[in-house]
Amino acid sequence: MVIDEVAVATRKHTGDVQGPDTLETPVLESAPRDGQRPGRPPRGSSKVAEPHLLERNARAGGDHPVAGQIILQRRSLLACDGRTQIAAERFYRMLARVMPRGDRTTSRGPMPWDAMAWDPIVHLGLFVHRVEGIAPGLYMLVRDPAKLDRLKRALHAHFEWSTPPGCLADLPLRMLEAGDVRRLATQLSCHQDIAGDGAFSLAMIAEYQEALFTHGAWFYRRLFWEAGLIGQVLYLEAVAAGVQATGIGCFFDDPVHRVFGIEDFALQSLYHFTVGGAVDDPRLTTLAPYGAGADAPDN
């Protein structure tokens, strides 16, 4: 079992880390150097924003909530209530926001994807629990539609790959297998209830091997940059939808791979995430983070 293997591994090195038997870790020591992109510009250099970007970013969103209001409300939930549902229309809209669109060569894609200089290589394996009008089960969001056939070949042969009802025509979301996956999601995320008690949770699955072979070790960071952008967009979309979200850093990657049928290093699960109705913790106090009055002295 994976858990037994981890337990054995943690018992191998129990000596004094300051003693003569200190374990040498040359791989860890070289990691910061290997993670640097060859020929990268010096620290402190930055790209000047193009005028059309500044103009676009300054425009208000019409009847939609102002971005600043959403950003200031963004919080990481600590627990899900196990009850809150979201509408299918809202679910599809949230997923549409993590789809890079537009022409990246001219930086004219929607924010924040205009900052990403490569084709998307992180896809979402979803565990859908409480979305109105959509069957619970395993789903896959193919963030680069051109790679749909490649993912079909890489995952379990018995998966359905059917389009859920009401799905946006240009949203490459596919149902892999219907069923109650609440317990499965919880187990895969280190037995954390938040993975199964939300409206949905997900695994960010990256095209791992080809990206590193093509670009080099330095691109490993870029995989997590892309995963981070996905997470931050989902955080804000969750707030806009009246729910909350959080990242899940602890998960059993090999069991995740077995669930989806991943058999080699072509694909790897990088990070997990969950969205749902938050349970407030009365032990915590929330103060205004910014704005007038945040730092005003008491009268």
Side-chain angles (χ1 to χ4, degrees):
M1 297 295 291
V2 174
I3 296 178
D4 294 335
E5 294 174 1
V6 172
V8 171
T10 57
R11 290 196 295 267
K12 287 185 178 179
H13 304 290
T14 58
D16 182 0
V17 295
Q18 301 298 329
D21 296 329
T22 299
L23 180 65
E24 296 184 0
T25 55
V27 173
L28 295 181
E29 294 168 0
S30 66
R33 180 182 65 254
D34 295 338
Q36 295 292 331
R37 178 180 179 179
R40 63 170 294 180
R43 290 185 180 276
S45 63
S46 60
K47 178 181 177 182
V48 178
E50 299 178 25
H52 76 272
L53 293 180
L54 297 177
E55 177 184 357
R56 184 189 64 202
N57 297 345
R59 292 197 296 265
D63 296 332
H64 299 290
V66 177
Q69 296 175 342
I70 299 298
I71 293 171
L72 294 181
Q73 295 178 57
R74 175 239 192 266
R75 296 290 187 275
S76 294
L77 60 78
L78 298 178
C80 296
D81 59 18
R83 300 186 307 272
T84 300
Q85 296 181 325
I86 62 174
E89 179 183 1
R90 173 65 73 171
F91 176 65
Y92 294 142
R93 189 184 311 168
M94 293 174 71
L95 296 183
R97 296 294 191 187
V98 301
M99 291 293 297
R101 304 178 190 275
D103 184 0
R104 280 181 298 282
T105 62
T106 58
S107 298
R108 292 185 180 274
M111 293 173 50
W113 309 114
D114 52 359
M116 199 176 74
W118 60 90
D119 292 330
I121 52 178
V122 177
H123 310 282
L124 305 186
L126 295 122
F127 304 84
V128 174
H129 310 309
R130 300 172 180 87
V131 178
E132 297 174 358
I134 300 178
L138 287 178
Y139 289 73
M140 178 64 65
L141 179 67
V142 184
R143 294 185 59 250
D144 185 346
K147 298 172 181 175
L148 177 60
D149 289 339
R150 180 189 302 184
L151 286 176
K152 284 184 178 180
R153 293 191 298 268
L155 304 185
H156 281 310
H158 69 269
F159 281 157
E160 295 183 22
W161 295 95
S162 60
T163 302
C167 184
L168 302 175
D170 59 348
L171 183 65
L173 176 68
R174 300 292 184 267
M175 185 181 75
L176 305 181
E177 191 170 64
D180 186 345
V181 292
R182 291 174 295 178
R183 182 179 179 183
L184 174 63
T186 298
Q187 291 174 334
L188 294 176
S189 290
C190 297
H191 302 277
Q192 298 178 83
D193 292 336
I194 54 175
D197 285 347
F200 67 93
S201 61
L202 58 91
M204 301 184 189
I205 300 175
E207 299 172 37
Y208 183 80
Q209 185 169 273
E210 181 177 347
L212 297 186
F213 282 1
T214 300
H215 302 287
W218 64 270
F219 204 80
Y220 183 69
R221 286 185 176 184
R222 301 307 194 271
L223 299 179
F224 282 95
W225 286 6
E226 185 173 341
L229 283 176
I230 294 170
Q232 294 303 328
V233 170
L234 288 176
Y235 264 119
L236 299 180
E237 286 299 319
V239 174
V243 291
Q244 291 188 24
T246 191
I248 303 176
C250 180
F251 54 90
F252 301 120
D253 51 357
D254 286 341
V256 171
H257 298 157
R258 288 196 290 270
V259 166
F260 287 97
I262 300 171
E263 298 180 348
D264 52 28
F265 290 105
L267 300 171
Q268 291 286 290
S269 181
L270 293 184
Y271 202 66
H272 284 212
F273 202 86
T274 190
V275 176
V279 176
D280 290 332
D281 189 335
R283 299 169 297 176
L284 301 179
T285 300
T286 300
L287 302 176
Y290 310 104
D295 299 320
D298 295 334
N299 294 328

